[in-house]
Amino acid sequence: MKKILIFGSGGAGKSTLARELGTILGLEVIHLDAWYWNPGWVETPKAEWQSIIQDLTLRESWIMDGNYGGTLDVRLSVADTVIFLDFPRLLCLSRVIKRRFMYAGQSRPDMASDCPERLNWEFLKYI
C-alpha cells in the first residue's frame, strides 16, 4: 500500500483515520481540505485545484483524505487502496457537532490556516 485514498461523509472520521494510518505506515498524509481552502474559507479556483490534485497524486506515496467529487476520478485512478467510510448519518452529525465545539474559533489541524471551524445548515444537509 503506497497510495491510500480515504473518503466518506463529513464527520465519518476520514482525517482521524488518515493520521493514524500515516503514523502506523510511515506515509505522508494529505488532507485535501488543507489544500482546497484558502484563508477565510476562500475556495481554490477549479483549474488551479485540478492542477494541485495532479501534482499531489504524482507523489510516490501518500494517504489522502477528502471527498471533492470533481477530482475523485483522478485520485481513484492512481490509488492502490481505497477506504470508504460509510457510517450512520446520526453518528456523522454528532461528530461534526462535537468537532464544532472542540475547535470553536480555531482551525482544525487538518484544515487550512485561518479557516476557523464552522457549522452551517448547508453542511448539515450535505451530511
Side-chain angles (χ1 to χ4, degrees):
M1 295 187 297
K2 296 186 94 176
K3 294 185 177 186
I4 302 170
L5 178 59
I6 303 172
F7 66 103
S9 177
K14 298 179 297 292
S15 297
T16 301
L17 178 59
R19 266 192 312 276
E20 291 178 7
L21 280 178
T23 299
I24 292 167
L25 300 173
L27 295 176
E28 174 189 17
V29 175
I30 300 170
H31 300 291
L32 291 181
D33 281 343
W35 288 86
Y36 182 78
W37 293 104
N38 296 293
W41 289 100
V42 175
E43 296 178 58
T44 297
K46 187 175 183 174
E48 183 181 343
W49 180 237
Q50 294 286 339
S51 178
I52 289 169
I53 291 297
Q54 289 292 338
D55 291 344
L56 291 173
T57 58
L58 289 175
R59 294 181 181 185
E60 184 178 332
S61 61
W62 40 258
I63 298 172
M64 189 177 292
D65 80 86
N67 291 325
Y68 300 96
T71 61
L72 186 57
D73 59 335
V74 174
R75 293 177 285 132
L76 283 171
S77 70
V78 296
D80 59 38
T81 305
V82 176
I83 301 171
F84 174 57
L85 299 179
D86 185 19
F87 291 109
R89 184 175 303 139
L90 287 178
L91 175 63
C92 294
L93 284 169
S94 69
R95 288 176 175 174
V96 165
I97 292 166
K98 177 183 173 188
R99 181 172 74 192
R100 167 62 176 92
F101 289 104
M102 277 180 57
Y103 294 102
Q106 57 185 330
S107 297
R108 296 188 325 257
D110 54 310
M111 182 56 71
S113 63
D114 197 27
C115 290
E117 185 64 20
R118 64 182 185 177
L119 187 60
N120 57 37
W121 184 243
E122 186 176 314
F123 187 56
L124 290 173
K125 287 190 305 185
Y126 169 75
I127 294 171

